[in-house]
Amino acid sequence: MRLSESSFQGIKTLINEALSEFRRPQEQSVVTDIHIMPIRETGEVTISDDDRDLATTQLSDLVEIPEEDFYQVMEKALRRILKDIDEVEPLENLAIWKPFSFVLVDDDRETVAELMLFDEDNTLLSQSLMQGLDEELDSFLKDLLAE
């Protein structure tokens, strides 16, 4: 199952609305994460920073996504939406101190998936780049301690 085109565009508009204050010239905000919280039961999607809700919308077809697939469908769609937004207006230029992340959270605000991460060098770290990092660090530490 996938999101409808209207829901896809609705979320894209919502994210752009939520990020608008971070695109204006100003001092950088001390925000560590931008949280994206879709709620399957109500169809509500809320974008928030560390302290407050930035934007909310209602998307009726979210309730049609099977519960067991919900976060998988949302993660895939949100990655694509963020990539599309980043191609038009680079997200690394937001007035937010780095590092910061875009994070998919559940209705308890628990992290489901890290969607994008920007570090101090304005480098976008994708999920595929992050995979295997723990094993590489463990191996490096083991080799270092063996010396």
Side-chain angles (χ1 to χ4, degrees), residues 11 15 33-38 45-47 70-83 86 91 100-106 111-118 123-130:
I11 293 173
I15 292 172
D33 292 317
I34 302 293
H35 306 270
I36 304 173
M37 182 176 61
V45 180
T46 302
I47 311 293
F70 183 70
Y71 288 112
Q72 222 173 359
V73 169
M74 292 305 300
E75 180 179 352
K76 184 177 179 183
L78 289 169
R79 284 183 194 280
R80 187 173 144 216
I81 291 167
L82 289 169
K83 183 177 179 275
D86 187 55
L91 295 170
F100 72 92
S101 299
F102 286 88
V103 181
L104 172 62
V105 297
D106 63 17
T111 298
V112 173
E114 186 172 72
L115 302 168
M116 286 185 144
L117 170 67
F118 295 87
T123 303
L124 172 64
L125 299 176
S126 69
Q127 186 67 20
S128 60
L129 186 59
M130 298 296 285

Side-chain angles (χ1 to χ4, degrees), residues 89-147:
E89 222 173 328
L91 295 170
E92 67 187 29
N93 296 335
L94 294 173
I96 300 175
W97 284 358
K98 291 167 186 67
F100 72 92
S101 299
F102 286 88
V103 181
L104 172 62
V105 297
D106 63 17
D107 54 354
D108 292 326
R109 297 192 186 261
E110 296 293 324
T111 298
V112 173
E114 186 172 72
L115 302 168
M116 286 185 144
L117 170 67
F118 295 87
D119 71 6
E120 288 84 9
D121 297 325
N122 296 330
T123 303
L124 172 64
L125 299 176
S126 69
Q127 186 67 20
S128 60
L129 186 59
M130 298 296 285
Q131 289 175 340
L133 187 60
D134 284 340
E135 293 82 16
E136 287 181 35
L137 289 173
D138 288 344
S139 174
F140 173 76
L141 184 58
K142 182 179 174 184
D143 292 344
L144 187 63
L145 292 173
E147 291 179 6

Side-chain angles (χ1 to χ4, degrees), residues 24-29 95 97:
R24 293 187 295 252
Q26 62 184 16
E27 287 187 32
Q28 290 191 324
S29 296
W97 284 358

